[in-house]
Amino acid sequence: MAQAEVKPATRRPGKLADPCVMVIFGAAGDLTRRKLIPALYNLAKAGLLPHEFAIVGMARGAMSTEDFRNKVAEDIKRYTGADADSTIWEWFSQRLYYMRGEFQDKPVYPQLKDLLERVDKDHRTHGNYFFYLATAPSFFGPIVEQLAAAGLMEEKNSHWRRVIIEKPFGHDLESARALNKQLLQVADEKQIYRIDHYLGKETVQNILAFRFANGIFEPIWNRRYIDHVQISVAETVGVESRGSYYDQAGALRDMVPNHIMQLISLTAMEPPISFGANAVRDEQAKILHAIQPFSSEEVLSETVRGQYGAGKVGGKPVIAYREESDVPPDSKNETFVAMKLAIDNWRWAGVPFYLRTGKALASQHTHIVIQFRRAPFVLFRDTQVENLMPNQLVLHIQPEEGISLQFAAKVPGPVMQLGAVDMSFNYSDYFGTQPSTGYERLLHDCMIGDQTLFQRADMVEAGWCVVSPVLDVWKALPPRYFPNYAAGTWGPKDADELLERDGRQWRNFEK
């Protein structure tokens, strides 16, 4: 396959991050070990971290700074394959510090301030700090309040202070609003970075470039030409070791208000006036507010929930959800969600958006399918062709990142017959691969003050507004027939019927 031509003029070097100190609350956790530290190391290798940079890790366990550095060296080697003795590691390791502390203890924060002042002096980081909350959600508000009380959120003398907050951001609309209010009492919106790691994926970021940089797609990106849109986030894994958390959250809370709403808004938004953070997020917010809320009757007819039973995934046996560790044997929690959404604006009125997400499904695949309207059949009425297939444009997000277009072509021979043809583009084929955890872009954007890929308060609340009626009805009417799909399938039969009632079907990718 021919390689894409990338002209030198378009290959701009990345912007060097501002001098700063990154503080990781929860530095001994899985997220830090597998994602954050490898992402920072990849940024260092790419030359995107400034010389004036340092990392302070905080966790509950007793550990010296030297122990922390040794632990990070092991994590980098394990999750990136990098040589811990390299020149980059020597530079990186000298910028690692550790502090033991309980997140709810007030005396910890003045101690943290003293440590940051020493680190700032040693590495000349200009008094710029950002705080990554890789902790349980119950600590989000209290940590930011204590940072503010210690003066660590105060911006003066041209230095900045920012905080990155992981999901879940609240567990319903009321709690999300309460958390936003709590944060905004001690910090400005421009200081708050609500992270969604899905937006670190290249294909997700490429949705805007694909739509607005190519003149052949945007004119047909509307209800006149598009029949419907499908968004699928399918996972082959079960809940693994997250049973206690997942049984409280469920598939709806875990995926829909954040990941899937971001994918919907980027797919459906109007062209922004620029790629400035607020310009982009203004258009995303309009889409989220335009999604029609469910009535109680519509929840029953337009949504589906499921829970996996025992089965096989990839030929390997998988136990039922209710047999997973820390999951009650009579759990009513959903591990699968499907629903039909309507966006009531001029571009999308009458175009259904179908979404689904689930655990222990047949294939790990995240994609967006744009299905176009069928062409008129009259031309082929007197031929061997029995029906015309609709064209589909698919944005593949994971595990492979790319774009494919399915269209009809004549099968060679004397008779008029049509076959489906896929024209595919894979990122790795054209642009090669780069070490990535999905967090590199997001961390770098925080360091340069770009909030484009981070959710704003109104966007978070709009996402919860969509799912709140569903949560209320599902709470009032517990499911009767759980489990209702076997591990290794594509979910409950009701999810297929959701589309079949409209004369449509899901696009599945078996891989």
Side-chain angles (χ1 to χ4, degrees):
M1 184 178 290
Q3 295 294 302
E5 180 184 0
V6 183
K7 298 180 180 178
T10 67
R11 269 185 177 161
R12 296 181 182 177
K15 180 180 178 181
L16 193 67
D18 293 348
C20 61
V21 181
M22 177 181 184
V23 180
I24 304 175
F25 288 89
D30 193 54
L31 175 63
T32 302
R33 179 170 60 251
R34 292 189 303 110
K35 300 294 184 180
L36 301 183
I37 291 296
L40 291 167
Y41 189 78
N42 289 336
L43 287 173
K45 287 178 66 177
L48 294 174
L49 291 184
H51 183 77
E52 304 87 355
F53 178 75
I55 303 165
V56 173
M58 180 188 288
R60 298 170 177 174
M63 195 186 321
S64 68
T65 287
E66 192 60 34
D67 292 337
F68 183 55
R69 291 174 178 178
N70 292 335
K71 180 178 179 298
V72 168
E74 294 174 2
D75 294 338
I76 288 176
K77 199 162 190 176
R78 179 177 179 182
Y79 294 107
T80 71
D83 183 358
D85 294 327
S86 68
T87 303
I88 294 175
W89 166 248
E90 290 299 323
W91 177 89
F92 192 81
S93 66
Q94 296 305 309
R95 284 157 174 77
L96 291 167
Y97 298 85
Y98 182 80
M99 175 181 170
R100 181 184 183 185
E102 295 284 346
F103 306 141
Q104 69 271 30
D105 288 353
K106 293 182 179 180
V108 164
Y109 294 86
Q111 295 171 23
L112 174 61
K113 184 177 183 180
D114 291 341
L115 174 58
L116 286 174
E117 288 175 353
R118 295 197 301 271
V119 172
D120 183 43
K121 182 178 179 180
D122 290 344
H123 296 283
R124 296 173 296 169
T125 53
H126 297 200
N128 298 327
Y129 310 146
F130 74 104
F131 307 92
Y132 198 111
L133 275 52
T135 70
S138 58
F139 292 117
F140 292 167
I143 286 176
V144 178
E145 286 183 334
Q146 292 301 323
L147 288 171
L152 288 170
M153 292 300 296
E154 184 179 357
E155 297 185 326
K156 60 182 180 180
N157 301 327
S158 300
H159 65 231
W160 51 256
R161 305 289 167 85
R162 297 162 187 158
V163 58
I164 298 180
I165 298 177
E166 267 286 345
K167 80 172 187 74
F169 195 94
H171 60 271
D172 56 19
L173 178 58
E174 183 179 353
S175 60
R177 283 176 172 165
L179 180 54
N180 274 327
K181 182 178 180 180
Q182 185 179 16
L183 296 175
L184 292 171
Q185 285 178 340
V186 295
D188 293 332
E189 177 65 37
K190 66 181 178 65
Q191 294 178 281
I192 302 170
Y193 289 66
R194 301 169 187 83
I195 196 168
D196 185 340
H197 71 267
Y198 257 52
L199 295 190
K201 299 182 182 299
E202 286 293 341
T203 311
V204 175
Q205 298 171 37
N206 194 52
I207 294 173
L208 297 182
F210 178 80
R211 287 187 55 192
F212 303 132
N214 297 293
I216 63 174
F217 294 112
E218 185 57 22
I220 59 172
W221 208 265
N222 55 61
R223 61 181 177 168
R224 182 177 179 183
Y225 298 99
I226 292 176
D227 177 77
H228 74 276
V229 177
Q230 300 177 22
I231 298 179
S232 297
V233 182
E235 299 179 271
T236 54
V237 297
V239 295
E240 299 178 306
S241 61
R242 301 170 68 221
S244 58
Y245 160 75
Y246 197 86
D247 202 65
Q248 298 297 316
L252 181 61
R253 284 188 173 96
D254 191 46
M255 296 296 292
V256 177
N258 37 69
H259 296 333
I260 292 180
M261 286 301 153
Q262 290 292 296
L263 296 179
I264 290 174
S265 65
L266 291 170
T267 302
M269 64 186 280
E270 295 295 322
I273 59 172
S274 74
F275 279 128
N278 278 329
V280 173
R281 296 189 297 176
D282 283 346
E283 298 302 333
Q284 288 183 270
K286 289 177 185 177
I287 289 296
L288 297 177
H289 287 295
I291 296 175
Q292 293 302 285
F294 290 107
S295 66
S296 297
E297 293 76 16
E298 287 170 335
V299 171
L300 298 178
S301 62
E302 308 294 351
T303 71
V304 174
R305 53 181 158 168
Q307 184 189 93
Y308 66 85
K312 289 187 176 181
V313 176
K316 298 180 179 180
V318 175
I319 61 175
Y321 173 73
R322 291 177 175 180
E323 297 174 12
E324 299 276 10
S325 177
D326 298 321
V327 173
D330 59 347
S331 172
K332 305 296 185 183
N333 180 52
E334 81 282 352
T335 62
F336 178 96
V337 174
M339 61 178 62
K340 175 183 175 182
L341 298 177
I343 299 176
D344 192 17
N345 64 12
W346 281 101
R347 184 184 288 262
W348 298 111
V351 178
F353 279 65
Y354 301 98
L355 62 90
R356 63 177 172 173
T357 181
K359 297 282 190 183
L361 298 180
S363 175
Q364 180 192 3
H365 211 280
T366 299
H367 58 263
I368 301 170
V369 175
I370 310 295
Q371 181 159 310
F372 294 92
R373 296 188 181 279
R374 294 179 189 270
F377 184 70
V378 61
L379 177 65
F380 298 91
R381 188 168 295 164
D382 298 323
T383 70
Q384 298 286 330
V385 177
E386 296 182 357
N387 57 67
L388 295 179
M389 66 191 70
N391 301 121
Q392 287 187 340
L393 177 70
V394 184
L395 306 177
H396 304 270
I397 295 171
Q398 70 174 15
E400 295 182 356
E401 298 184 326
I403 300 169
S404 63
L405 177 65
Q406 185 182 81
F407 58 93
K410 181 183 176 298
V411 177
V415 178
M416 173 58 76
Q417 291 182 317
L418 299 179
V421 178
D422 268 329
M423 185 164 56
S424 299
F425 150 73
N426 292 317
Y427 274 87
S428 59
D429 292 337
Y430 281 85
F431 300 116
T433 58
Q434 295 181 346
S436 176
T437 67
Y439 281 79
E440 287 82 359
R441 168 70 186 271
L442 299 172
L443 293 176
H444 182 261
D445 279 358
C446 180
M447 294 182 212
I448 64 175
D450 186 346
Q451 291 183 298
T452 305
L453 298 179
F454 296 84
Q455 294 192 76
R456 210 166 51 190
D458 58 330
M459 296 169 63
V460 171
E461 294 177 15
W464 279 114
C465 283
V466 174
V467 304
S468 284
V470 183
L471 290 170
D472 292 342
V473 172
W474 285 2
K475 182 179 181 180
L477 299 173
R480 297 180 183 178
Y481 307 110
F482 272 10
N484 60 354
Y485 72 97
T489 66
W490 280 103
K493 184 180 178 181
D494 289 349
D496 294 328
E497 294 175 351
L498 180 66
L499 272 70
E500 289 169 359
R501 290 198 300 266
D502 297 336
R504 303 177 175 108
Q505 64 181 16
W506 293 106
R507 176 80 183 269
N508 295 328
F509 293 87
E510 301 286 350
K511 193 173 182 179

